[in-house]
Amino acid sequence: MTICPERPEKRERAVKSKRPVNLELSTIHFPMPAIASILHRISGIIIFFGMAFLLYGLDLSLSSQDGFAAVAELMNHFLAKFVVWGTLAALTYHFVAGIRHLLMDIGIGETLEGGRLGAKLVFVVSAIVIVLLGVWIW
Amino acid sequence: MVKSITSLGRTGAYDWLMQRASALVLALYTLFWVGYFLATPDLDYQQWAALFEQTWMRVFTLLALISLGLHAWVGLWTITTDYIKAAAPRFVIQALCGLIMFVYLVWGVEILWGL
């Protein structure tokens, strides 16, 4: 964005002024609740596409005894484990962050401090569950 | 009041409610699976097929699939409306999302009732 395009002399002043600037990129980051929110969106999209793999697995596993064995065999492969773990990890995060949403709907954790604390709690709780899921799958 | 013809219920309040109601169904369905897998560490085909023979399990799964469709529609509608400003590509992508959800639903019915 250009500052004051119609008056270049004013622009000059704005650039040279001694206003405090903060361009230390390592110190600039999104607030915790914003990160919690964008991850909620990303995890939702991952679940949406991951569902195709889960439905495929359900279809095959219920088709016959052999189909069930085929899914069990498939789950020995790294890529299959990774896809299932990734989808369930997204589901875990989406679930925990969704509970936070519902709590905020009824008025819990709506303050600025509450929002920050809630976001951190969501990260910690879902990270623990996601690691446990990895242990279960591998 | 701003109304959008592509949102699920035409109004934000209705979308909000559908998102919450479907979220509760999906949360219960997810918790059911957590309990089931914790209770049956050595799952075999007989147990697995018997579970999905039960009418309540088929209905519960169908309810979860319908909720998934509604929930994903509201969520993906919100995301696409936020980030894709040009109307034509946004409409195409939203229509694709709707189509995928419809396929999931029909596929689910086929799996559950073996049509």
Side-chain angles (χ1 to χ4, degrees):
Chain A
M1 198 181 74
T2 316
I3 305 160
C4 243
E6 72 286 359
R7 293 180 62 195
E9 74 286 353
K10 195 174 176 187
R11 184 164 74 223
E12 192 82 349
R13 239 184 301 138
V15 171
K16 285 183 178 167
S17 68
K18 296 282 183 206
R19 293 177 306 175
V21 287
N22 181 7
L23 285 179
E24 290 284 335
L25 291 180
S26 60
T27 68
I28 301 172
H29 64 80
F30 277 121
M32 287 293 182
I35 299 169
S37 173
I38 193 69
L39 284 176
H40 203 174
R41 290 183 164 199
I42 295 169
S43 58
I45 294 170
I46 294 173
I47 297 164
F48 181 65
F49 290 110
M51 202 49 67
F53 296 95
L54 297 188
L55 276 174
Y56 173 76
L58 184 64
D59 196 0
L60 188 57
S61 68
L62 284 174
S63 62
S64 63
Q65 180 95 51
D66 290 343
F68 187 87
V71 173
E73 162 64 27
L74 203 59
M75 282 307 292
N76 286 329
H77 294 282
F78 174 80
L79 198 63
K81 283 175 194 264
F82 185 76
V83 168
V84 172
W85 180 66
T87 306
L88 294 183
L91 177 63
T92 301
Y93 180 82
H94 204 84
F95 183 98
V96 178
I99 298 293
R100 171 169 172 257
H101 250 300
L102 294 176
L103 288 176
M104 289 175 100
D105 281 345
I106 56 172
I108 299 169
E110 279 187 319
T111 59
L112 179 60
E113 271 318 299
R116 285 178 181 152
L117 180 66
K120 277 181 201 157
L121 276 173
V122 167
F123 296 150
V124 172
V125 171
S126 47
I128 293 170
V129 178
I130 288 167
V131 170
L132 289 176
L133 275 173
V135 173
W136 179 59
I137 290 172
W138 265 279
Chain B
M1 188 165 69
V2 177
K3 288 195 174 186
S4 169
I5 53 164
T6 48
S7 85
L8 181 67
R10 314 290 188 281
T11 72
Y14 187 82
D15 281 11
W16 181 90
L17 185 65
M18 288 313 289
Q19 198 173 30
R20 268 63 183 181
S22 56
L24 285 176
V25 172
L26 292 167
L28 289 175
Y29 192 71
T30 307
L31 287 177
F32 165 80
W33 279 119
V34 173
Y36 184 80
F37 282 121
L38 285 177
T40 45
D42 299 309
L43 185 64
D44 61 28
Y45 175 70
Q46 273 67 35
Q47 284 173 299
W48 188 240
L51 175 66
F52 280 92
E53 293 264 310
Q54 310 277 330
T55 303
W56 68 265
M57 186 57 198
R58 291 176 174 177
V59 173
F60 192 20
T61 304
L62 181 64
L63 182 67
L65 268 172
I66 294 169
S67 299
L68 180 80
L70 298 174
H71 195 84
W73 181 261
V74 178
L76 291 171
W77 178 86
T78 309
I79 294 173
T80 47
T81 306
D82 274 356
Y83 301 128
I84 308 171
K85 296 299 176 190
R90 186 178 67 235
F91 181 80
V92 169
I93 291 171
Q94 286 177 347
L96 262 178
C97 290
L99 181 66
I100 294 172
M101 285 164 218
F102 182 70
V103 169
Y104 283 174
L105 187 64
V106 173
W107 192 8
V109 170
E110 211 182 307
I111 295 170
L112 292 169
W113 277 276
L115 298 172

